[in-house]
Structure formats: structure tokens, C-alpha cells
Amino acid sequence: MFVDELTEMNMELQKTIDTCSNKDNITMVLTEDVEQFRQLVNVLDPSKIDFTKGGYFNNMKIEAYWGKLADLSPSLQTSISRIKNHGTVVSNTLTVLQKQLKQASETSQRIKSEYEGFEADESLMAQFIVTDTYISVIENLITEYTIWQDRIKRIITTSAAALKQTIAFARIDRRFGGYDTVTYKSNYADMQSACSEFVSTRNR
């Protein structure tokens, strides 16, 4: 009875571990999303634009920037929406991992307690070893997925501030005078940093 219960539980743990660890898992999909988003963000990097400087050539440069911003704004919105949606999958996966860890730990402890005093059963002992191994793997996955969740939250938070201004600028027919471009640059830099942080963490 105990062997069957542990075996069934271990099979479920194995399925979850496989889903979270295979080459097509959600963090890999998210890495592609963030990399695509980062490429768009880098194309629209405003750090080298002096919005306060006049002159014919600088005005052309500024005009070209706002034109590019207007053209790419829909792509930015689509890209960040994908990140949000896949970020939700990461959060849901983390919840599943936490529930399975709790269940596996409690089940293992209960069976060990109930089995105490009985003659050692090799099959049961073998399943305990598998369970303990899987619990360790699940704990590591929880740590990893918590990091991904935090990184995604930072991207979403920083992009909310930057893209709010981006959308506003893109809709004003390039009439940028009087807008807070200093804060815009700062928010944009935070968004770039958040994207780079995620990608660099994923590639370690």
C-alpha cells in the first residue's frame, strides 16, 4: 500500500520536474520574449538623444526618433503583453511546485511515521530515496522560478512607467515640446536594465 502510494506520487513529481526542466519550458519561452522585447527597447534607446538641444540637424534627429517610436509602439505593446501572459504561467507553475512540495513532504513524513517499527522493505526504501531526490529537485525549481517571477515583475513594473510615456509620445503627432524627457530617459534606462538582468540571469 505504502509503495503504491509513494510510486504514484513520485510519478506525478517526475511529470512536473520534466515539464519545468525540458528545453521548451516556460522560462525558455520567456527568455525569447524578453530578448525580443529588449531588442525593440534598444532600437528606441533615447539615451543618445538630446531633446533640449535645438538646431536643424538635431531637430531632424529628434523627429526621426519620435517617428520610429510611433511606428514601433504597437510592437512594444504586443511584446510586453506576451511577457505578462507568460509571466502568469511562471507564477502558476510556482504555485503548483509549492503545493507539490508540501504534499510530497507531508506524505513522505506520514508514511515514514506509520511504517516505523515494521521490517524494512526494499521497494519502499527505494521509493523513499526517489521521493527525497525529487523533493530536493522541486526545492531547487521553486528557488529558480521565484527568481524568474521576481525578474518578470521588475520588467513589467519598469515598463509600465516607460511605456506609459512612450504611448503618450507616440500619439502626440511628434509634438514633444514640454514633455518630461528627463524622466522618460530614466524610466527607459530602468526598463533596459530589467530586461538585461533577466536575460543575463537566464543564461548563467
Side-chain angles (χ1 to χ4, degrees):
M1 178 180 70
F2 291 148
V3 173
D4 291 342
E5 184 177 0
L6 275 181
T7 300
E8 183 177 352
M9 184 182 72
N10 287 338
M11 290 175 62
E12 290 301 313
L13 292 176
Q14 180 65 64
K15 289 179 183 178
T16 299
I17 291 169
D18 289 345
T19 299
C20 293
S21 304
N22 68 53
K23 62 183 181 64
D24 298 319
N25 73 75
I26 190 61
T27 66
M28 295 300 295
V29 175
L30 258 172
T31 300
E32 293 179 4
D33 291 342
V34 173
E35 184 56 43
Q36 291 174 3
F37 181 65
R38 185 172 68 155
Q39 290 175 9
L40 285 171
V41 167
N42 288 342
V43 167
L44 293 170
D45 183 1
S47 63
K48 296 180 180 179
I49 306 291
D50 187 347
F51 296 100
T52 63
K53 183 180 178 181
Y56 176 76
F57 290 107
N58 195 64
N59 285 339
M60 286 185 62
K61 192 176 182 180
I62 294 173
E63 180 74 6
Y65 177 82
W66 293 129
K68 189 185 296 182
L69 177 62
D71 291 340
L72 293 181
S73 181
S75 296
L76 282 170
Q77 288 301 302
T78 299
S79 188
I80 195 63
S81 292
R82 282 178 55 84
I83 291 173
K84 287 179 179 178
N85 290 338
H86 289 146
T88 299
V89 176
V90 168
S91 296
N92 291 342
T93 301
L94 181 57
T95 298
V96 170
L97 287 169
Q98 291 167 334
K99 287 181 178 179
Q100 285 197 319
L101 175 62
K102 183 175 184 294
Q103 178 187 13
S105 298
E106 290 177 350
T107 300
S108 179
Q109 289 301 318
R110 174 179 57 78
I111 293 177
K112 285 177 180 178
S113 177
E114 293 180 6
Y115 189 75
E116 187 176 2
F118 287 87
E119 184 178 349
D121 182 289
E122 291 186 4
S123 298
L124 184 59
M125 293 301 104
Q127 287 303 316
F128 275 135
I129 293 173
V130 173
T131 300
D132 290 343
T133 300
Y134 285 171
I135 284 176
S136 179
V137 174
I138 294 288
E139 287 173 338
N140 289 334
L141 284 171
I142 287 173
T143 298
E144 292 179 10
Y145 272 70
T146 299
I147 292 173
W148 307 143
Q149 178 180 253
D150 292 343
R151 296 289 187 265
I152 289 301
K153 284 181 179 179
R154 183 173 177 233
I155 290 175
I156 292 172
T157 299
T158 56
S159 66
L163 295 183
K164 182 178 180 180
Q165 287 182 293
T166 299
I167 294 169
F169 286 140
R171 289 177 177 172
I172 61 175
D173 194 22
R174 303 168 197 175
R175 295 190 298 271
F176 49 84
Y179 286 83
D180 186 2
T181 53
V182 174
T183 301
Y184 174 58
K185 283 186 175 183
S186 176
N187 289 338
Y188 214 91
D190 288 343
M191 181 170 61
Q192 287 177 303
S193 174
C195 291
S196 297
E197 181 184 47
F198 181 94
V199 174
S200 64
T201 300
R202 188 67 187 84
N203 290 336
R204 286 175 186 171

